[in-house]
Amino acid sequence: MIAVGIDVSKSKSTIAAISADGEILMKPTDFHHTEPSMNQLITILHGFNDEARIVMEATGHYHKPVLKKLLESNFYVSVVNPYIIKKYTDNDLRKVKTDKKDALKIAWYAMEKHYTLQPFSSVDQKYESLKYLSRQYSQCVSLKVKAKVQLYNLLDNIMPGIKHIINSTTINPDNNLLYKFIKKYETYDKIKAMTEGRFINSYVKLAQKCCAVAPEAKALKIYELAKRSITTQPLDTSTRIIINECINILKQLEVSCNSIMSQMQSIAGTMPEYDTVLAMGGVGFKLAPILIAEIGDIRRFKNAKALNAFAGNDAPPYQSGQYESLNRHISKRGSSTL
């Protein structure tokens, strides 16, 4: 048996190989993540004429090109948590950190732990797609929150207090009453210039198009609020551009969020664990696909404790001699997103 250690970085990997008796068969060598370079690596590994146990660290998506080529060539590959490799190398007195040294350390780890290594099992493509969608959804939600904060800051200057009266949340952003209201009236100064009856009639017509409840009562509240409020931002060309762009960005982000979540629900609905996750307390139609995406294939965990450790929620036991800790903090070494 030979042990192969792969230190993965962006666009290239440093790879070393050692034999069972500790002889370095291949000094740490750089291979780029390209077809010719990977084919060269595979030819070298086949040339050893011995079973290879290959270990690499999980590095986001950087290791995937190497992993794909090795699996296609039917090599035994184990993808290990980087923290495990770090703890394994912590017993060195002299701390040396280079790609070449790391590749050799991983190769030694593969040799020493070859009997406990778990071969990489290809995850169903559905879980991969769901995870990518989940991360994109999180990004869209984050941008939407920032855009909404910017809009609310602007409203504090041109329509203070309006967001407490009109709080429209609709699936279709084109039917959002707050957005339509802002675009139509722009500032309280325009409302103040109207008579009470004229504004109420105008607002009722607008609200009915959005199927709003009790528009007359809200129209009166808005008119009274406009009369006693002080606007601090003049209605000029710059203000109009800011208003329109804020609303346009928010609309686009809401469309993107809805589209991504719809696809996530469509994929998650075909998975056997979907109904179980959805039945959990506090989990709805949006959270269920996100949980499945971040956990992945739950069948790869041997028990509930393994899943809890993956999420970083476990409190590892601590006992020495007569002392046994009964109040331990959680490890926080799992998936931060989960």
Side-chain angles (χ1 to χ4, degrees):
M1 188 203 86
I2 64 170
V4 180
I6 303 180
D7 183 68
V8 183
S9 57
K10 186 176 182 180
S11 75
K12 76 175 180 67
S13 293
T14 305
I15 303 173
I18 59 175
S19 64
D21 56 4
E23 179 188 357
I24 298 177
L25 300 176
M26 182 172 70
K27 291 182 179 180
T29 308
D30 290 341
F31 291 88
H32 290 278
H33 299 172
T34 60
E35 197 77 28
S37 191
M38 288 295 103
N39 289 337
Q40 181 188 358
L41 169 64
I42 291 166
T43 302
I44 293 172
L45 294 178
H46 280 309
F48 292 133
N49 295 320
D50 201 350
E51 179 192 4
R53 292 290 174 101
I54 304 171
V55 172
M56 64 175 66
E57 294 177 329
T59 53
H61 60 276
Y62 292 155
H63 69 282
K64 289 185 178 180
V66 187
L67 178 63
K68 179 183 178 183
K69 292 299 294 184
L70 292 174
L71 290 177
E72 287 175 351
S73 300
N74 298 317
F75 283 106
Y76 183 105
V77 185
S78 180
V79 180
V80 181
N81 190 317
Y83 187 75
I84 294 176
I85 301 295
K86 180 181 182 300
K87 296 301 290 184
Y88 173 77
T89 59
D90 276 350
N91 58 0
D92 293 341
L93 292 176
R94 187 165 178 261
K95 302 297 182 183
V96 180
K97 176 69 178 76
T98 66
D99 289 347
K100 291 184 178 182
K101 290 290 184 182
D102 288 347
L104 273 175
K105 288 174 182 177
I106 296 171
W108 281 112
Y109 174 87
M111 179 61 68
E112 185 179 326
K113 306 289 185 180
H114 71 274
Y115 53 90
T116 60
L117 294 176
Q118 294 295 323
F120 178 84
S121 59
S122 183
V123 182
D124 190 331
Q125 185 58 41
K126 286 183 179 179
Y127 290 102
E128 283 293 312
S129 299
L130 202 58
K131 189 171 183 178
Y132 278 122
L133 287 168
S134 174
R135 299 296 170 86
Q136 188 63 36
Y137 178 77
S138 176
Q139 181 73 9
C140 278
V141 169
S142 177
L143 292 172
K144 187 176 77 169
V145 169
K146 290 179 181 178
K148 193 163 282 189
V149 168
Q150 185 180 3
L151 178 63
Y152 285 170
N153 288 340
L154 177 63
L155 290 179
D156 286 339
N157 293 321
I158 59 174
M159 291 183 175
I162 191 64
K163 60 181 180 286
H164 300 298
I165 298 178
I166 305 175
N167 187 16
S168 179
T169 53
T170 57
I171 296 176
N172 181 10
D174 289 329
N175 202 35
N176 188 298
L177 179 57
L178 180 60
Y179 299 163
K180 286 188 172 185
F181 179 87
I182 297 168
K183 278 202 166 188
K184 182 171 182 177
Y185 298 106
E186 297 177 321
T187 178
Y188 280 159
D189 293 335
K190 288 182 71 173
I191 297 175
K192 290 177 183 179
M194 302 169 66
T195 62
E196 181 179 315
R198 183 185 166 197
F199 170 73
I200 291 174
N201 290 334
S202 174
Y203 175 81
V204 168
K205 288 178 182 178
L206 178 67
Q208 286 175 344
K209 292 178 182 178
C210 301
C211 302
V213 179
E216 294 85 358
K218 280 195 175 182
L220 187 57
K221 281 185 181 180
I222 294 169
Y223 190 78
E224 291 175 350
L225 179 63
K227 282 292 186 181
R228 65 173 181 265
S229 295
I230 300 173
T231 57
T232 57
Q233 180 98 3
L235 183 60
D236 52 18
T237 304
S238 298
T239 304
R240 285 194 171 97
I241 290 174
I242 295 170
I243 291 171
N244 287 325
E245 290 308 313
C246 271
I247 293 174
N248 290 339
I249 290 170
L250 270 170
K251 281 184 176 181
Q252 185 56 54
L253 287 170
E254 287 179 11
V255 169
S256 297
C257 287
N258 293 339
S259 175
I260 294 170
M261 179 51 66
S262 176
Q263 180 63 14
M264 288 177 66
Q265 290 169 341
S266 177
I267 295 173
T270 64
M271 296 177 172
E273 62 265 42
Y274 180 68
D275 290 336
T276 304
V277 175
L278 195 60
M280 292 166 59
V283 178
F285 291 102
K286 286 188 177 181
L287 186 55
I290 295 173
L291 279 175
I292 295 172
E294 296 304 329
I295 292 171
D297 187 0
I298 198 168
R299 284 162 286 278
R300 75 183 192 275
F301 298 105
K302 60 184 179 181
N303 53 36
K305 289 183 178 179
L307 174 58
N308 213 25
F310 176 73
N313 289 329
D314 66 325
Y318 189 87
Q319 182 269 333
S320 178
Q322 301 300 314
Y323 174 77
E324 184 172 352
S325 175
L326 300 176
N327 185 19
R328 292 269 285 159
H329 295 294
I330 63 174
S331 65
K332 295 184 181 179
R333 283 178 182 158
S335 168
S336 57
T337 307
L338 179 60

